[in-house]
Amino acid sequence: MEAAGESLRDTELRLGLPGTDAPEKPASTVTRGGKRALPEDDEDGYAKSNKSSEEEEQGEGDLCCQEPPAAKAQVVGWPPIRSYRKNSLHARKVEGEAAGLYVKVSMDGAPYLRKIDLKVYKGYKELREALDDMFKCFSLGEFPRKEGCSGSEYAITYEDKDGDLMLVGDVPWEMFISSCRRLRIMKGSEARGLGSRH
Amino acid sequence: MTYFPEEVVEHIFDFLSSHRDRNIVSTVCKAWYRVERLSRRIVFVGNCYAVRPGRVMARFPGMKCLSVKGKPHFADFNLVPHDWGGFALPWIEAAARGCPGLEELRLKRMVVSDESLELLARSFPNFKALVLVSCEGFTTDGLAAIATHCRGLRELDLQENEVEDHGRQWLSCFPDSCTSLESLNFACLKGEVNAGALERLVARCVNLRSLKLNRAISVESLARILARTPHLVELGTGSFTVEHRAEAYQRLIHAFRKCKSLKSLSGFWDVAPRCLQSIYSICPNLTVLNLSYAPAIQGADLVKLIRHCFKLQKLWVLDCIGDKGLAVVASTCQELQELRVFPSDIYGTGTAAVTEEGLVAISSGCSKLNSLLYFCHQMTNAALITVAKNCPHFTRFRLCILDPGKPDPDTNQPLDEGFGAIVRSCKDLRRLSLSGLLTDKVFLYIGEYAARLEMLSIAFAGDSDKGMVYVLNGCKNLRKLEIRDSPFGDAALLVNVGKYETMRSLWMSSCDVTLGGCKALAAKMPRLNVEVINDRDESDEMEENPSDMHKVEKMYVYRTLAGARNDAPEFVEIL
């Protein structure tokens, strides 16, 4: 197999956005502290032991600069998983994305609802901050920072897959975003009842 | 030598369960050959192109069970073009002519048309069991034919096939008089089936012990089915979400409590963590648990579930179980023999799900472990050496580090020593898959120590021809060798050509083998089929008579008594 030339790079299959370059790194580059190097993907699959010197010059800096990290280009038949299983998982992923981690957010007393993408947030703190930001125009005051804050007028609740009304913050974040169907910011006596449960 | 009457010899042969033993005794003398061939009931054909179907039927007229395998293993990973071959029809036709008493047919990686299924359904009055694994080419119409015409069918087992859905009526084709089903697996079907027909079918098949539903079956339906099949031993659930809450869920719990014989569970698509509680009552009896299609079960729920499963012998999970989850498995499942950990996030650069830590934990807790398939993000030599010490009983060891060619992250060394420890320690190792950064050295170890190795899978490994030569000259029990993206060329291919007649097959793709090398091999060994498989886009190039120096993209070599096959597509050249 001859090494990919400049011109062949244009025909490489990549998952990055148009305009970004996947970092070119040979598979055997030093990985420090468990970080995985992205292997270089040329047209002929992975370069073997005779890697060209220009690849070895690329430092890890390239990897860190990419945000989000560029996805690996696909090597045919790798990882070695049966198509049936791959398709199953892929279908699930697509469904998961289509079903929308976009959920409606309603606030008691607000004239209209909002919609947010739960996937954008890394955890509960960010979610509360975002909601705070979104609804502050209704001058409704500060949101509880932890569940069961005393004296707070609001509680952030959500409707889960089973249709039950749940207090936000009890379960691990990943579990929350997979079961949350919509959010509801409750205020007044209802909220106090929920908030004081803990 | 004392001569026994033939009946006595035949009776002695009855005790030989393995194909290999029966093959060997048949070579002792003509008399034994005759007795053996007339008394053989179970025939296994590992490569459908190694022998003509007619010849098999002629030799074993009393055959009751036939297993045939078609495409090479790497077809599972899309490395074999779609129309390469592996057709079931010639086998079914030959059996219809030569062995009408056929009762069981098992096909793996073959192309099975509706036409073949229809012929099958009509040709064998005593037909009892059909098992199709990783096959394709048929639709639910073919299944309808089987259901309609196979009176007395005991087993219909469809595992991971690509089946085209032509409507939901096939299941309704089982006549009301059908009460013989013992095993029904349609988990791989995408379409709906008539739920009422299914419930009535399982109710009247009182010997039903294994039932694997597809995703279209709701939890409500599952509850009704379980109420009628309390003696089930194996269950594959359908979709496991409870849309309508309490009532269906209660019925499900109640139904599970009555299933005191359940030992194996699978399915669990779309599971809501809440529903898992319904199976806690069965978990202590489980020996087999397959959660590999359930990415929705994560972390805490998974661990909670596994803590109940202390009799588990076989566990298939996704890597979202994490190293910590595997530690729980290690402390809970002391009887574990087989573990498979599949990747949930194939292309992402997400958080490392399982690493060498999980594997080491498993090895220290589960001393009976003998079969492993482990997809992970990284592995170290130290870990592999520890695993080798803790678990010397491995017969199957398949490790897939998702990043090809990745070295030991602690030392930056290749994983030669780690795998070397495995082959040295596990004297009964029959199957091995390598990954990570590997030099020729690992093959030196394999050739030297893996005396019982039968199947070896190599990807992105080795430095030179020497690697492959070590294996070919060393592993005397090698049957299947499959290699991709490794720097092995003609010199290695041709160093020990006689070896290939002792093996079932050799696959090499994206290596350094040239057309000239393949031609040389074919010339020296007339009883091998040397297939050069070109990618479709390159087939134009092939017509222009490429030189012998041209590197071959895919090559499949196998011993055969049948000569070059006549059903090869135009992009396959048989030298």
Side-chain angles (χ1 to χ4, degrees), chain B residues 427-467:
Chain B
K427 310 225 184 303
D428 289 325
L429 196 65
R430 292 196 314 260
R431 184 168 181 185
L432 177 65
S433 293
L434 307 170
S435 60
L437 181 66
L438 296 163
T439 72
D440 287 343
K441 204 153 188 227
V442 72
F443 300 113
L444 173 68
Y445 293 142
I446 292 174
E448 171 136 8
Y449 295 108
R452 297 239 166 90
L453 195 64
E454 296 177 5
M455 182 170 176
L456 179 62
S457 306
I458 301 170
F460 308 102
D463 306 314
S464 74
D465 286 335
K466 274 201 267 176

Side-chain angles (χ1 to χ4, degrees), chain A residues 1 27 30 34 36-37 39 46 69 75-86 89 92-93 95 162 175, chain B residues 76-78 134 160 188 215 245 274 292-293 295 301 343-344 346 375 377 402-404 406 460 484 511 551:
Chain A
M1 311 283 144
V30 174
R36 291 162 35 234
Y46 285 90
V75 176
V76 175
W78 193 267
I81 306 175
R82 274 194 189 155
S83 332
Y84 175 81
R85 186 176 288 278
K86 242 186 204 169
L89 236 74
R92 298 293 305 283
K93 260 186 150 53
E95 255 173 63
D162 297 329
M175 195 185 288
Chain B
D76 280 353
F77 318 132
N78 294 336
S134 289
E160 300 191 340
C188 63
R215 210 168 151 194
R245 270 147 279 169
R274 219 185 110 171
S292 62
Y293 288 102
D301 295 308
S344 54
I346 302 174
F375 285 85
H377 287 254
L402 289 166
D403 207 344
K406 184 172 173 165
F460 308 102
R484 63 166 293 182
C511 297
K551 280 196 192 162

Side-chain angles (χ1 to χ4, degrees), chain B residues 48-59:
Chain B
C48 66
Y49 291 122
V51 62
R52 285 190 214 284
R55 186 167 173 163
V56 173
M57 311 306 156
R59 180 171 169 188

Side-chain angles (χ1 to χ4, degrees), chain B residues 225-481:
Chain B
I225 289 171
L226 283 180
R228 302 189 194 221
T229 57
H231 302 296
L232 269 189
V233 175
E234 291 181 354
L235 174 68
T237 72
S239 157
F240 215 62
T241 47
V242 181
E243 305 255 339
H244 305 294
R245 270 147 279 169
E247 209 193 310
Y249 184 58
Q250 286 307 316
R251 263 192 266 129
L252 192 62
I253 296 188
H254 190 63
F256 271 126
R257 283 225 190 89
K258 284 182 143 184
C259 292
K260 306 218 187 278
S261 313
L262 264 186
K263 289 219 168 61
S264 163
L265 279 184
S266 59
F268 296 106
W269 292 288
D270 314 316
V271 62
R274 219 185 110 171
C275 289
L276 284 185
Q277 293 174 28
S278 59
I279 63 169
Y280 284 175
S281 58
I282 321 171
C283 286
N285 294 328
L286 285 184
T287 55
V288 175
L289 182 58
N290 181 354
L291 294 168
S292 62
Y293 288 102
I297 308 185
Q298 301 233 6
D301 295 308
L302 197 50
V303 163
K304 252 204 281 187
L305 183 66
I306 295 205
R307 281 199 204 279
H308 289 78
C309 304
F310 43 86
K311 282 202 195 142
L312 220 49
Q313 292 172 16
K314 185 158 128 176
L315 176 64
W316 291 21
V317 281
L318 290 170
D319 60 5
C320 8
I321 190 174
D323 287 334
K324 294 218 170 71
L326 288 178
V328 174
V329 173
S331 58
T332 311
C333 309
Q334 305 286 301
E335 302 297 312
L336 198 67
Q337 295 176 27
E338 176 177 326
L339 174 67
R340 295 196 191 189
V341 181
F342 294 95
S344 54
D345 185 17
I346 302 174
Y347 303 115
T349 54
T351 50
V354 295
T355 67
E356 74 276 8
E357 284 179 26
L359 187 58
V360 169
I362 289 283
S363 73
S364 19
C366 308
S367 54
K368 296 187 183 173
L369 198 64
N370 59 46
S371 175
L372 180 76
L373 172 60
Y374 196 76
F375 285 85
C376 59
H377 287 254
Q378 62 180 53
M379 185 54 57
T380 64
N381 282 310
L384 285 175
I385 291 169
T386 305
V387 169
K389 204 159 38 119
N390 292 341
C391 293
H393 304 299
F394 277 119
T395 54
R396 295 179 196 83
F397 191 87
R398 292 191 280 165
L399 182 68
C400 179
I401 302 166
L402 289 166
D403 207 344
K406 184 172 173 165
D408 178 331
D410 291 345
T411 63
N412 207 36
Q413 293 300 302
L415 292 175
D416 301 336
E417 297 307 315
F419 280 106
I422 295 284
V423 295
R424 228 179 272 125
S425 163
C426 304
K427 310 225 184 303
D428 289 325
L429 196 65
R430 292 196 314 260
R431 184 168 181 185
L432 177 65
S433 293
L434 307 170
S435 60
L437 181 66
L438 296 163
T439 72
D440 287 343
K441 204 153 188 227
V442 72
F443 300 113
L444 173 68
Y445 293 142
I446 292 174
E448 171 136 8
Y449 295 108
R452 297 239 166 90
L453 195 64
E454 296 177 5
M455 182 170 176
L456 179 62
S457 306
I458 301 170
F460 308 102
D463 306 314
S464 74
D465 286 335
K466 274 201 267 176
M468 186 169 164
V469 172
Y470 289 139
V471 172
L472 290 175
N473 287 342
C475 302
K476 52 184 172 33
N477 281 306
L478 196 64
R479 288 189 3 241
K480 286 181 282 182
L481 180 58

